[in-house]
Amino acid sequence: MLIPEMDGIELPRELDYISTGEVDGVGTWRELPEDADLKGWRAVPRRALWELTGEISFAKANRLYAEMDWRKNSRFCGRCGTPMEDGEDNGRACPKCGYRIYPIISPAVIVAVERENRILLAHNSAFPSGRYSVLAGFVDLGESLEEALRREIREEVGIEISDIRYFDSQSWPFPRSLMVAFQARWASGEIEVDGKEIDSADWFASEDLPEIPGSVSVSRRLIDDFIKRNS
Ligand SMILES: [Zn+2]
């Protein structure tokens, strides 16, 4: 995405004009034409916005991006192939067969599991080497959030959990998820990683943690909460 270029000036926090192909400060988002004049703007990864401009701008920009991405991917009716039109609400409708669609959000669950003052952290094979975090996964069709949590933990590290409690949630627009965070306790079983998604996992005390995620994510807030209660 693009933010205004300001050499030698610290970016203001909470930018309200993060933008777009228009380079005019209007809060819409569209893809840039090949020959767009980018003078005065610089490209940054969407993830970097949190650090550069703060939480509100990060959320605003990612919402605009998600809308653009959804519109781009919902041009035709999935039922009959006719070009879709905007509906009266925030959905789109097929003028031929009447099929209606709405923006797609994929719920995911994330959980900090604790066992006797230690927290379960795992290394996902997609993480940088040495980085550990709490476990997460997408909710399947027909599952409750709690069922998804139990299944993910069982599949990835082979243990059973209990005392599941809601912690917090976070829009996670990479690409269009809603992360729902929980805390839970170990109930039974010993760690046995699946060897595919998770290649290493262990119980860690607060004074002996491995490298953990930065402060953007709810995963870090879960770990920080554990540290606060156990140090
Ligand atoms: Zn249709």
Side-chain angles (χ1 to χ4, degrees):
M1 80 158 298
L2 297 170
I3 57 174
E5 183 88 66
M6 283 177 268
D7 281 341
I9 301 172
E10 200 175 318
L11 277 169
R13 305 287 285 180
E14 316 303 3
L15 286 178
D16 60 4
Y17 49 88
I18 278 180
S19 194
T20 82
E22 290 286 355
V23 195
D24 63 2
V26 176
T28 58
W29 188 310
R30 58 181 203 184
E31 287 178 292
L32 289 169
E34 293 263 319
D35 59 351
D37 178 10
L38 300 182
K39 197 166 175 300
W41 295 79
R42 70 169 159 144
V44 297
R46 276 190 296 135
R47 279 174 196 265
L49 279 180
W50 186 295
E51 290 297 318
L52 286 167
T53 67
E55 184 173 1
I56 294 173
S57 291
F58 174 84
K60 202 180 281 183
N62 279 306
R63 187 196 160 129
L64 292 171
Y65 178 85
E67 282 178 14
M68 180 197 74
D69 189 54
W70 179 69
R71 299 181 73 80
K72 196 172 77 180
N73 292 313
S74 59
R75 290 164 54 214
F76 298 97
C77 175
R79 188 183 280 167
C80 78
T82 302
M84 296 293 269
E85 295 175 353
D86 284 340
E88 284 164 18
D89 46 21
N90 66 340
R92 309 195 81 192
C94 173
K96 189 174 173 194
C97 76
Y99 184 55
R100 300 179 74 83
I101 54 170
Y102 293 89
I104 299 159
I105 301 167
S106 303
V109 286
I110 186 164
V111 62
V113 184
E114 292 180 35
R115 180 182 186 179
E116 294 158 6
N117 303 322
R118 288 178 300 159
I119 186 170
L120 175 64
L121 298 177
H123 179 262
N124 187 301
S125 49
F127 287 172
S129 172
R131 162 91 56 85
Y132 280 68
S133 187
V134 289
L135 289 163
F138 286 103
V139 179
D140 273 347
L141 289 172
E143 270 184 336
S144 71
L145 300 175
E146 291 82 359
E147 285 167 343
L149 270 186
R150 290 197 180 88
R151 175 185 52 74
E152 282 286 339
I153 299 297
R154 192 180 300 129
E155 284 175 2
E156 294 184 349
V157 293
I159 66 168
E160 299 296 327
I161 58 175
S162 64
D163 301 324
I164 297 170
R165 301 174 307 282
Y166 174 78
F167 177 76
D168 200 358
S169 69
Q170 179 179 35
S171 170
W172 194 243
F174 306 102
R176 60 186 77 79
S177 183
L178 170 66
M179 203 60 101
V180 189
F182 295 87
Q183 294 170 317
R185 296 202 166 278
W186 170 84
S188 65
E190 297 303 325
I191 294 172
E192 194 175 327
V193 296
D194 67 6
K196 294 176 292 197
E197 207 175 327
I198 301 299
D199 53 26
S200 168
D202 210 342
W203 301 102
F204 292 91
S206 64
E207 66 275 14
D208 193 23
L209 293 173
E211 187 197 330
I212 54 177
S215 58
V216 165
S217 60
V218 73
S219 57
R220 177 56 187 264
R221 294 208 292 276
L222 278 167
I223 297 170
D224 285 348
D225 183 77
F226 163 78
I227 295 169
K228 203 172 75 190
R229 286 182 288 101
N230 288 278
S231 56

